[in-house]
Amino acid sequence: MGQIFGTFILSTSDEQYKGEFFNNKMKSFSNADVAIIETSAHDGFVGSFDITWEESTGPVTAVLEIDMENNDVYILNWKDVKQNGDLQNTTFTGRAVKRNGILVSIYSMITSGL
């Protein structure tokens, strides 16, 4: 699998989160299911989330951790990435800004050595 980099958008309405992503291997945006594990009382985008998305080879799950870098700038890390239930040697990392109540990030894939 080649290097993956792309855009991830996270929005919220009435405590329901919606994820959308697009990367260099795709031709259009796809949806990601997002469920809250834990969020900050100060900022609902800071916290941990269970996230699931579909790839051509099957479903992928991960834990998305979001921390605030400063003001409206955030750091995102997708950890414990599993494809079809099997743990992968891959994580994703990104940097985001919040604009008009939506978190917009760029991300890239990191593959660990075995």
Side-chain angles (χ1 to χ4, degrees):
M1 177 188 302
Q3 181 64 22
I4 295 176
F5 54 89
T7 302
F8 177 74
I9 299 170
L10 184 62
S11 59
T12 182
S13 176
D14 298 325
E15 296 187 29
Q16 296 292 316
Y17 288 79
K18 178 183 177 185
E20 299 175 88
F21 68 99
F22 177 78
N23 65 44
N24 60 309
K25 306 287 185 180
M26 301 169 64
K27 295 184 182 201
S28 62
F29 270 87
S30 288
N31 293 322
D33 294 328
V34 180
I36 300 169
I37 296 173
E38 178 181 21
T39 59
S40 165
H42 173 70
D43 185 320
F45 285 117
V46 173
S48 298
F49 304 86
D50 280 324
I51 186 164
T52 303
W53 67 93
E54 193 69 34
E55 292 189 0
S56 61
T57 54
V60 179
T61 62
V63 174
L64 171 59
E65 295 179 351
I66 303 175
D67 290 313
M68 185 175 282
E69 184 176 283
N70 61 46
N71 295 326
D72 290 335
V73 179
Y74 298 77
I75 299 297
L76 290 74
N77 288 292
W78 290 258
K79 299 178 178 181
D80 300 324
V81 177
K82 295 179 183 174
Q83 187 162 35
N84 297 314
D86 296 326
L87 189 61
Q88 304 296 297
N89 65 341
T90 299
T91 59
F92 297 90
T93 186
R95 195 160 184 249
V97 293
K98 184 166 64 173
R99 290 292 177 257
N100 300 319
I102 298 173
L103 207 64
V104 180
S105 68
I106 56 169
Y107 70 89
S108 61
M109 178 180 75
I110 301 169
T111 303
S112 306
L114 294 177

